[in-house]
Every structure is written in structure tokens, then in C-alpha cells.
Amino acid sequence: MTAARLPVLVVGGGPVGLTAANLLAARGVPLILVERNAATSDEAKAISLDDESLRTLQTAGLADKILEIVVPGTGTRYYDRKGRPLFHARGPQPYRLGFPFKNQFAQPELEQLLLDELKSHPEADIRFATELVTVNDHPDGATATIRAPGATNTQALQASWVLACDGGRSTLRELHGIGMTGASHQEVWLVADTTGDHHDQRYGMHHGTPGRPTVIVPGRGGRCRYEFLLRPGEGEKGVRPGFETLRGLVAPYRPLTEDQVERCTAYTFNAVVADRWRAGHTLLLGDAAHMMPPFAGQGLNSGIRDAANLVWKIDDVWHGRAGDRLLDTYEAERRPHATAMVRYSERLGDIVMTTDPRRALLRDAAARALLRTPPGRRYLTEMRFRPPARHQAGLVAGAHALTGTQLPQPRVLVPPSLHPRWFDQVLGPSYALLGVNVPEAAWRHFENTGWPDDRLDIKRIDVLLDDRLPPANAAREAIADADGRLDDALAAARNRFVLVKPDRYIAAVMGPDDIPAVANTLRQKTS
């Protein structure tokens, strides 16, 4: 077997590693997954999946199954210093990406579902109770040694690429000597997952009471997550608090018995980003690459964004459609947003979870002032304060307003049946070139520009705006708007071509004169 055909080694069987493995397997890329623990986690750590994560899992055929174990959520409700509702942050347009904006779940259920799905793929060699010992890079791949925890015998594995999904204490990151930059926060939080709870809200609740900042996130089947900021002397990191402490904290919200506590621990958090995300044939994802406070609910979701960005590139390189220079665009595209999300999570915690009564008073007054104006209300309720996910560098070309943004997922009409379908079902797993109200002459001009079709599989799609009927027997697949959102999403690209990457981010918006330059950029970054 040549190096290019060696399997990908995924280190870490948490939700990010299992997601990356499922995405690889769905693309027909063989992989070996190793996880030091004997089974998936029984601890509910992450608790929220956003719409972009569900869209990513949709590409592996998993979205419908995951919707069976989540609460289709409506965002977060923020409360003021006296426990009164301030505003409900529902995010941008509902179902903009095809799914609810925020979805509560139990991590053990998610991990088990992802593992069960992975087991159905013959491409996947799954090895739990196996730890990584060493990794050595060479020009054509990497050699890793693995062993069972506590054993002395090791086994060598040959891999084309190694994905470090092994968490905040990443062995792979340490083996490569990669540091992390940022801050460690010393505030201790108590987190408890409970059962038999009466909360049935489809949203998280952030109580900004200075005397006891609190987060409450209801789940399915009577589950509920409680998080409390502890005062000095009430607990220490890594030490399970006594039941009486937990019961006293939860008492304002519900009665509690010991058998209703699934998990209870005290923790602190980090706000750090790895200094580099690639070392030869090893690439860092999830907590191995970045760790953030929990207040924005973006830790796991950022890791899934990493997988969505990287896996299709691994697929293209593994199958010979692109050179490994394409993998350099992973960090270029993901680091800026991940770093901004780390800083945003810190700021959100400082503001929403402040213990300073004066800051809480100013926070509440500022929020109420904003809510009195339509722009201010939109800023808060649509969460426009959250860092936008946009690729400023990497595999992007040109300066159009849509370039680097994520294409929404509206419903579209596809002939001949004209039954509404999700846009991603039409786009497929590879690149897509959308001709937005372009004439046939523009398509002929495009085909004559030397576009790099010899390497890249690019699906061509005619997009008809203005409530027009797509033709059933055209030279290319044609679609039309089914719910008004396609016109909204692509109106700014009228009479142009839009190149969409497999992760649904827009690489370029092109007029006829832009095509050669974009094609040249694509060749350079995928060679």
C-alpha cells in the first residue's frame, strides 16, 4: 500500500474524534480510531449542539438520528441581577442552516450514537482501550506506536495523516512540542446533571445574579444541567462537592435527592489556543487546538467546525484530487474564528456572570437601553454580538461581500418533481458551482477559461431567482427558490458564479472577468 493510500489515524474517541471518523468513513476514507478509555464517556460534559454542527452531521447521514436525542432548542434566555428576564437570544433567522439554532443533548447518548454509526462502516477500524505512545513523521506519512494502558508491548501503525482529537491534555500536541497561548481562569464552578427535573423550557437560562451566577439547561426526559459559581471555600477543582452543598444550591429551583444526581463535579476553565495546528502529518482539532469557557456553548461546536473544515480536505488529498498544500488552509480558515470565539466566551462570562453588583447594574441598564431600539433589540436577540464565522484567508479568492461566508440551507425546488428539498442534498459532497441567473453564454465562457476540472470534482448548478420555474431538461441541474430564502441568500450574486466549498463556505463569487484569477488561486492552494 502506498503512503497516499494508508489509513487516517484518529486519536481520541470523544465527540470530535467520532465526528471526524464518521465524516471520513462517509467519504470512503479508511481510518483507525484509537481511544485510551475502554468505552465512550458516561459523563455529560458538552450539552449544546448548534445548527452548524447538525448541518455537518447531516453530511454523514446522521442528522435525523441525532434529532431523536436532542431538545430542538430556541436559544438562551438571560436574566438580570434580580432574576428578572432581560431578553431571549434566539440567534439569526430560524432554521437558516436547516436546523434549530441551539439544541440541548446528553453527551453519553451522542457519543454512543456516533460510535454505533461508525461501527457500521467497513472503512473504520475502531480500537478502544488503546493509547497512543509515540508518533514519528516522515515524508510520506507518519508512524505511530500504540498499546493497551498499562501494557508493555506496543504496536506500530502506518498512517497517511494523524488527527489529534485527544482533548485538552493532548498527547499528540505534547509529542510535537506545541504550546498553547491564553489564560487559565481560577474561578471554580460546580456543575451537576440531574434527573427528575420539572424544567421543560427549550432554552438555556443564564441568571446574572452577582451573589450566585447560575446556568440552567433543561434536557430531555427530566434531565437538567445546573452550573453555579462557587464562592471561595465552597469547593475546589476536581473535588466532588458534598451532596448537601449541591442540594442547597439547587434548592431555589427544585427539591433534590441523591439518586437524582447523575454527575457532580467542580471545575475551572481555560481560554487557550494552540500555537500551531499542524506538525507535518499531524493536525489538531477540538480541545487539542483550542479550549474556551462554557458560557457561549461553543466548545464542542468549534471542534465539529474543525472536523467539517478539515475532513473534506483530507479526502481530496487522500484521493489524489489535491496536494497537501490544501491542508494549510485548515488553520488559516479556522484559527481566526476559534480564537475570536475563545475571547468572546471569556467576555460573555465576565459580563453575564459578573459578581460585581455595580457591573451587573450597568450591564442590565445597557441591555435595557439597547432593547428599546429596533437595531439594539436585533443585536441582542439575534446574537449579533457573536463572532461571525467567515473565512478571511485560506481557500478564498476575491473581495465580494459573500466570499468566505457560509451559504445558508434553504429549501429548493428540483425538477422534474419540484418537491422541496434541502439545498445540501442538491449540492452533494464536493464543490458546487452555482450560476445565479447566468445565461448559457456565461456558462460557455466559464468552460473555456481552463478551470482545473482535471483534479477537482465541481458540480454545476443553475440557480433561478425571481420565482422562476427551473427547466427539467437543461444541460445542468437547475433549482429554484422554495421558501424565499434562496433569493435572500444569493441576491447579491445575481448574474455571477458562486463557488461553494464542500463545507458550504463560499470560496469565490465571480463575474466573467474574475474567472481566470480565481482559477489560478484555486490551483495554487490545492496543488
Side-chain angles (χ1 to χ4, degrees):
M1 179 179 288
T2 65
R5 310 303 289 180
L6 291 169
V8 174
L9 176 62
V10 179
V11 181
V16 172
L18 288 168
T19 295
N22 271 286
L23 293 174
L24 286 166
R27 289 177 171 274
V29 177
L31 66 108
I32 302 170
L33 182 143
V34 298
E35 163 58 47
R36 69 166 58 239
N37 294 312
T40 53
S41 174
D42 61 357
E43 294 188 353
K45 300 172 185 175
I47 199 169
S48 176
L49 282 173
D50 65 18
D51 49 355
E52 188 173 354
S53 292
L54 284 175
R55 187 184 193 181
T56 294
L57 293 162
Q58 178 189 19
T59 66
L62 286 166
D64 287 342
K65 294 179 181 178
I66 290 173
L67 286 172
E68 295 292 329
I69 66 169
V70 305
V71 174
T74 62
T76 302
R77 183 165 292 183
Y78 292 92
Y79 295 79
D80 70 7
R81 70 192 189 284
K82 295 184 178 181
R84 299 169 299 191
L86 261 178
F87 65 93
H88 192 139
R90 297 178 180 271
Q93 187 182 57
Y95 283 79
R96 178 178 175 272
L97 302 183
F99 297 95
F101 175 67
K102 183 177 181 181
N103 306 271
Q104 295 91 276
F105 73 100
Q107 183 167 326
E109 290 183 339
L110 176 66
E111 289 191 17
Q112 190 59 55
L113 188 156
L114 293 172
L115 178 58
D116 290 344
E117 182 68 19
L118 188 61
K119 289 177 178 177
S120 70
H121 288 282
E123 296 87 356
D125 178 357
I126 305 166
R127 307 188 190 188
F128 275 68
T130 304
E131 63 181 354
L132 179 83
V133 181
T134 65
V135 64
N136 292 295
D137 206 69
H138 48 79
D140 295 324
T143 301
T145 57
I146 58 173
R147 70 182 175 201
T152 56
N153 295 331
T154 62
Q155 177 187 356
L157 295 177
Q158 301 296 319
S160 56
W161 302 95
V162 182
L163 305 190
C165 306
D166 50 346
R169 298 178 180 178
S170 170
T171 298
L172 276 164
R173 192 183 63 233
E174 292 181 3
L175 287 172
H176 284 289
I178 300 174
M180 301 195 87
T181 299
S184 295
H185 293 257
Q186 301 306 311
E187 298 90 347
V188 180
W189 283 77
L190 180 150
V191 58
D193 293 305
T194 65
T195 61
D197 200 276
H198 69 281
H199 284 95
D200 60 0
Q201 292 90 342
R202 289 170 51 207
Y203 51 83
M205 290 161 272
H206 286 205
H207 291 269
T209 309
R212 182 72 72 187
T214 300
V215 178
I216 303 173
V217 184
R220 289 175 72 117
R223 283 196 175 98
C224 191
R225 162 76 58 88
Y226 291 88
E227 299 190 15
F228 304 95
L229 178 60
L230 298 182
R231 302 184 184 110
E234 289 184 329
E236 56 183 291
K237 176 184 177 182
V239 178
R240 181 185 175 96
F243 174 69
E244 291 305 319
T245 298
L246 174 59
R247 182 164 63 178
L249 291 169
V250 174
Y253 307 100
R254 62 163 291 180
L256 187 68
T257 59
E258 282 196 76
D259 63 311
Q260 293 174 319
V261 181
E262 286 190 319
R263 172 188 181 232
C264 182
T265 190
Y267 73 96
T268 60
F269 53 80
N270 298 305
V272 292
V273 179
D275 296 335
R276 53 194 173 99
W277 292 20
R278 179 178 179 182
H281 288 80
T282 296
L283 298 114
L284 276 56
L285 296 80
D287 283 356
H290 42 73
M291 289 182 279
M292 63 191 69
F295 306 113
Q298 285 296 301
L300 172 58
N301 292 298
S302 292
I304 293 177
R305 284 194 193 94
D306 296 342
N309 184 289
L310 179 59
V311 165
W312 72 264
K313 296 172 181 177
I314 293 280
D315 174 35
D316 269 7
V317 174
W318 194 89
H319 282 102
R321 293 187 293 268
D324 68 7
R325 185 182 298 181
L326 176 62
L327 300 183
D328 290 332
T329 67
Y330 163 59
E331 182 175 350
E333 292 173 357
R334 282 292 304 132
R335 171 188 279 276
H337 184 254
T339 301
M341 195 60 76
V342 170
R343 305 295 171 246
Y344 160 68
S345 299
E346 283 187 295
R347 291 194 304 272
L348 190 64
D350 288 343
I351 295 170
V352 176
M353 301 285 109
T354 182
T355 58
D356 184 334
R358 291 172 298 179
R359 291 191 69 195
L361 176 64
L362 290 172
R363 174 200 65 203
D364 297 347
R368 288 197 168 90
L370 284 170
L371 290 167
R372 284 195 287 268
T373 68
R377 178 171 290 276
R378 288 193 296 271
Y379 178 77
L380 292 178
T381 61
E382 297 179 14
M383 296 187 73
R384 297 188 178 187
F385 48 83
R386 194 170 75 158
R390 181 168 190 169
H391 297 168
Q392 303 278 4
L395 192 61
V396 289
H400 192 275
L402 293 179
T403 300
T405 66
Q406 188 178 31
L407 189 68
Q409 185 177 198
R411 288 187 178 272
V412 297
L413 302 177
V414 183
S417 71
L418 297 180
H419 292 168
R421 296 172 59 189
W422 287 117
F423 198 8
D424 288 5
Q425 294 173 330
V426 179
L427 293 174
S430 188
Y431 295 87
L433 184 72
L434 311 179
V436 184
N437 275 22
V438 301
E440 190 61 35
W443 280 107
R444 288 196 297 270
H445 178 79
F446 173 84
E447 299 296 351
N448 292 330
T449 57
W451 194 261
D453 273 356
D454 55 325
R455 295 178 296 114
L456 302 180
D457 179 19
I458 301 178
K459 185 176 185 179
R460 288 138 166 82
I461 302 172
D462 271 307
V463 177
L464 282 78
L465 305 182
D466 306 320
D467 296 325
R468 295 162 57 203
L469 187 68
N473 298 307
R476 294 162 299 278
E477 190 161 6
I479 61 171
D481 199 340
D483 58 13
R485 298 182 182 186
L486 184 67
D487 279 21
D488 290 344
L490 293 175
R494 186 183 296 270
N495 306 129
R496 293 172 177 265
F497 292 103
V498 177
L499 179 63
V500 183
K501 294 181 280 189
D503 58 6
R504 314 313 186 198
Y505 281 77
I506 294 173
V509 179
M510 302 169 281
D513 295 338
D514 305 319
I515 294 172
V518 172
N520 185 55
T521 297
L522 199 62
R523 287 191 190 93
Q524 290 177 354
K525 295 186 178 182
T526 61
S527 61

